[in-house]
Amino acid sequence: MMRIFVTGATGYVGSAIVRELIDADHKVVGLTRSDNGATILKEAGVEVHRGDLDDLNSLRSGAATADGVIHLAFKHDFSDFAGSLATDLLAVETIGSALEGSGKPFVTTAHANGSASDNAAIGLAKRGVRTSIVSLAPSVHGENDKGFVPKLINIARDKGVSAYIGDGSNRWPAVQRLDAARLFRLALEAAPAGSRLDGVGDEGIPFRDIAGVIGRHLNLPVVSISHEEAEAHFGFLGAIAALDIPRSSVLTQELLGWRPIHPGLIADLEQGHYFNN
């Protein structure tokens, strides 16, 4: 049993990781800045640690009294994403300094354009911290998902069609939330220092297949649109919806014995819970 300090413990992925850790007999200490967050953590059996990403003293003290750290919290401020990345870098450096020379595990989460934080985390491996970085698929799906897929569903409802770009053969990787949670636990327990891990279940689902399921469940036409029409249709998701970004977790599975066992994205969509609202 380890005492694990978790930032982002009340989040969509974080709450699943908390349950995974507790079920594996670890003690969890969760960072929160609000009374509501404290209530949620207490109800989950988590010790409350007050603070936030801007309170570096709270990050330092939470890490210093822990046997390991999982860092998930991130400011998703798209109006100042560079500022969000800068805050994350400071958080990684602060937590790392508290763990330096201890040999304790420190698992961080990769973010788009977050190479500075990733490099800082990997650098800690040379300073006596067993760091690993989990790079999650762009779609982490499951109950209460608030990510890309619900946004695509809402766009389809608003536009009256479920669209894909061009021939829709571009691929999206995905991972189920509970599979992702287990990967974080395994990384904490066993990942070698300096590991880069791929949180991927579905290696690449053609975007037209995702659009097809959405259209069928909403009883809407499934249509192809041009690259020029993508931004007007999808908004800020236009560039992302056109990406072909297949990824593999084979090396991660071999390293940690991790196996995605929960339904893939298409099967998850077919269950219908994404369309209840």
Side-chain angles (χ1 to χ4, degrees):
M1 184 184 77
M2 292 190 287
R3 175 185 170 90
I4 310 303
F5 179 48
V6 180
T7 73
T10 61
Y12 172 63
V13 177
S15 58
I17 292 172
V18 164
R19 177 47 48 197
E20 176 75 23
L21 292 171
I22 291 174
D23 288 348
D25 294 327
H26 296 300
K27 180 177 178 56
V28 179
V29 181
L31 179 73
T32 185
R33 63 183 175 184
S34 71
D35 291 340
N36 182 57
T39 298
I40 292 170
L41 292 176
K42 288 176 182 176
E43 290 176 350
V46 175
E47 180 182 327
V48 174
H49 183 84
R50 289 284 188 163
D52 59 33
L53 290 181
D54 294 315
D55 185 349
L56 299 183
N57 286 331
S58 73
L59 295 179
R60 190 177 294 109
S61 62
T65 57
D67 299 314
V69 178
I70 296 178
H71 174 48
L72 300 159
F74 188 79
K75 289 184 176 181
H76 292 281
D77 182 359
F78 292 104
S79 66
D80 182 20
F81 198 69
S84 298
L85 291 172
T87 298
D88 187 60
L89 175 58
L90 275 177
V92 169
E93 291 174 338
T94 299
I95 293 169
S97 67
L99 299 176
E100 191 168 341
S102 68
K104 294 176 181 178
F106 179 22
V107 186
T108 68
T109 312
H111 299 284
N113 300 319
S115 57
S117 291
D118 292 354
N119 291 337
I122 292 299
L124 289 166
K126 297 179 180 179
R127 293 157 51 193
V129 185
R130 183 164 60 79
T131 52
S132 57
I133 301 170
V134 176
S135 180
L136 291 170
S139 174
V140 181
H141 58 91
E143 295 280 353
N144 301 314
D145 181 3
K146 295 178 177 63
F148 287 135
V149 172
K151 289 180 173 61
L152 293 176
I153 292 170
N154 288 335
I155 290 168
R157 283 193 174 112
D158 181 56
K159 300 291 186 178
V161 297
S162 181
Y164 56 87
I165 300 169
D167 65 2
S169 62
N170 60 298
R171 296 156 292 177
W172 268 23
V175 65
Q176 209 275 347
R177 174 177 174 245
L178 300 181
D179 286 325
R182 193 168 68 259
L183 175 57
F184 274 90
R185 176 178 63 79
L186 292 173
L188 178 89
E189 294 173 344
S195 300
R196 293 180 182 267
L197 307 169
D198 280 297
V200 173
D202 292 307
E203 295 188 357
I205 307 164
F207 195 88
R208 64 171 174 266
D209 292 354
I210 300 171
V213 176
I214 291 172
R216 180 155 38 81
H217 277 267
L218 296 179
N219 195 28
L220 293 174
V222 180
V223 303
S224 169
I225 62 175
S226 68
H227 287 267
E228 291 73 22
E229 296 171 301
E231 183 175 353
H233 183 87
F234 289 111
F236 78 95
L237 285 178
I240 300 172
L243 293 176
D244 183 41
I245 45 176
R247 282 172 47 195
S248 171
S249 62
V250 169
L251 295 179
T252 295
Q253 293 185 42
E254 291 176 351
L255 181 66
L256 295 178
W258 174 66
R259 297 290 183 273
I261 60 173
H262 290 89
L265 176 57
I266 296 298
D268 202 0
L269 284 166
E270 294 287 16
Q271 292 177 11
H273 60 86
Y274 272 94
F275 305 95
N276 289 339
N277 297 326

